[in-house]
Amino acid sequence: MKISFQFLLCAALAVGFSPCALAQVSVVKQDGAKIYLDISEFNRNVSVGDSFKIITATEKLVNPKTGKELGDVYHYSPEGRIVEVQPLYAVGELPYAAKYALGQEAVITAAVQPAPTRATATADDKVTQNATAAQPLSTRKMKKYPVLEREVISAVEADLSALPGEEIALADRAGILQLYSPEEGMLRLRAEHKLPRGQKPLALSAADLTGAGQAQLFVTVYDENKAQISTRVYEVTDHEFKPVATLPYFVKEMGCAGQKKLYAQKPFTGGSKAGDGRLLRYKNGKFSLGEKAFATRGSWLSGMNFYPVQSAQAPNVLSTLKNGRIRLMLRNGKPAESPALFAKAANRVKYKQDIISFYPSLQAYGPAGRATLAGVENVGKLGLLSEQFGQYSSSKLHFLTYENGVLDVQETLPLNGFVYDTSCTARGILVPQVVSGGQTILTEIYR
């Protein structure tokens, strides 16, 4: 009897999670981005639209103090889709071509997860089932720029220099800021700047608060040496990032296009907690905070928004909850919540003895009272934790609307990699997708 690699690996990892739970197959041929997979010993049917990933490497996870082996950590290719199914093999297509060895193992997951087999499902199960059934894949348009050889934490589009048109500024994991001009689908580098040693970027925002006709770049950073969060303000002049101020706040843009505003909060007001949000202004040559505040309930502005979703009369506070839901605070003081589909894996920073979570930006755009929300769902890598940012295997972008008292998922867009943060552009959402090898595909998604 033939004993497959799949059987041996499943037997070896029978205790705890194994990729065998997702059903392993192997690569038998590659033609560019097309991958041919042997499914002759697969234990269930494969369908067009199923997703797959190739296992690129494994490593042992060991407790350095006790020496105890905790299992294997798996590294994967970007997620692809099954496009053709034959009796003994399936053809999958990856988002871009990369060389893989014949015989490498892969995992296939069904396009739709099966419903619970219990006789009585919980309320959360029923909400999630209904949301999953109602989620068609997005038909939105995508504009992809050339692959960037860096792991982008945050990116923003604004008129940041004296050049005509909008530019794209980004911050990568190494603390390097770059400014690009989009030109016919390409990105032309205009300026570059390295943050001071020990300062890690958390989020980028941009707005013209001075009224000079040129936006300032607000770079919120975490200083590892001082265990402090602050925001560095830059203007781009003569192809250089020139610092103009340092603010003792966490700063994040909210809204979109002409409705975009900057809000700030005082960090660490109660240990590792965040303070209330206030409008950031520029008056008499200085940046200051507005008098009116909205309660963030200890959440960081990274996973919040302030936008007129319910009606055009007043903005609503939107926030990402720790249980994975998105909450919309209604004008009557009651909340409306989404299905539990979102930020279960957050970016993380170690502050003293705490791990602080910063959720990806929650975008809100479109006509006041008929807004669309865009939320990131990151899937964390099992068995991996990180003191700085997170370790993820994939992401999805969910589009929601508020209708009849509930937040409803209208579309779901699977992404090629994972996403630390998003931003709003004049016509859509700017999404830096980090793929294998620490590269980033910068994508604008719009109607």
Side-chain angles (χ1 to χ4, degrees), residues 372-391:
T372 297
L373 313 181
V376 171
E377 176 192 1
N378 276 329
V379 179
K381 286 185 178 179
L382 295 178
L384 284 177
L385 293 176
S386 174
E387 295 179 355
Q388 176 68 36
F389 304 109
Q391 298 289 333

Side-chain angles (χ1 to χ4, degrees), residues 70 92 393:
L70 305 178
S393 60

Side-chain angles (χ1 to χ4, degrees), residues 78-270:
E79 187 175 76
R81 288 285 179 271
I82 300 298
V83 296
E84 180 183 345
V85 178
Q86 296 295 334
L88 299 180
Y89 72 90
V91 182
E93 190 165 350
L94 293 168
Y96 60 89
K99 186 63 177 177
Y100 298 100
L102 301 185
Q104 278 187 270
E105 298 298 314
V107 293
I108 297 179
T109 54
V112 178
Q113 296 296 327
T117 56
R118 303 192 300 273
T120 303
T122 65
D124 279 352
D125 288 333
K126 293 177 180 178
V127 169
T128 303
Q129 290 172 41
N130 292 338
T132 301
Q135 291 176 30
L137 294 183
S138 175
T139 57
R140 294 170 184 262
K141 297 178 181 179
M142 301 179 67
K143 178 181 179 181
K144 293 184 179 180
Y145 294 100
V147 175
L148 298 168
E149 300 292 333
R150 55 189 65 250
E151 192 168 340
V152 175
I153 298 299
S154 186
V156 65
E157 182 181 276
D159 185 2
L160 287 158
S161 75
L163 296 172
E166 304 280 291
E167 290 98 11
I168 295 175
L170 60 84
D172 68 12
R173 194 163 181 170
I176 297 175
L177 308 178
Q178 291 187 322
L179 183 71
Y180 290 92
S181 292
E183 296 179 0
E184 298 181 353
M186 304 297 290
L187 292 173
R188 182 176 179 182
L189 183 62
R190 294 291 187 181
E192 187 172 271
H193 177 77
K194 181 74 168 69
L195 291 174
R197 185 179 180 86
Q199 294 194 359
K200 302 294 184 182
L202 298 176
L204 296 185
S205 301
D208 178 16
L209 296 191
T210 66
Q214 179 179 324
Q216 297 83 48
L217 182 67
F218 296 79
V219 186
T220 298
V221 300
Y222 174 69
D223 191 322
E224 295 178 319
N225 301 320
K226 299 180 180 179
Q228 291 179 348
I229 286 180
S230 61
T231 296
R232 300 173 65 89
V233 187
Y234 293 91
E235 290 183 349
V236 182
T237 307
D238 298 328
H239 304 286
E240 291 185 9
F241 286 90
K242 294 187 177 181
V244 296
T246 299
L247 310 177
Y249 315 123
F250 186 102
V251 174
K252 196 71 178 73
E253 63 182 28
M254 297 187 185
C256 202
Q259 296 177 312
K260 183 185 293 186
K261 295 181 179 179
L262 298 187
Y263 290 85
Q265 63 187 157
K266 293 182 178 181
F268 305 144
T269 56

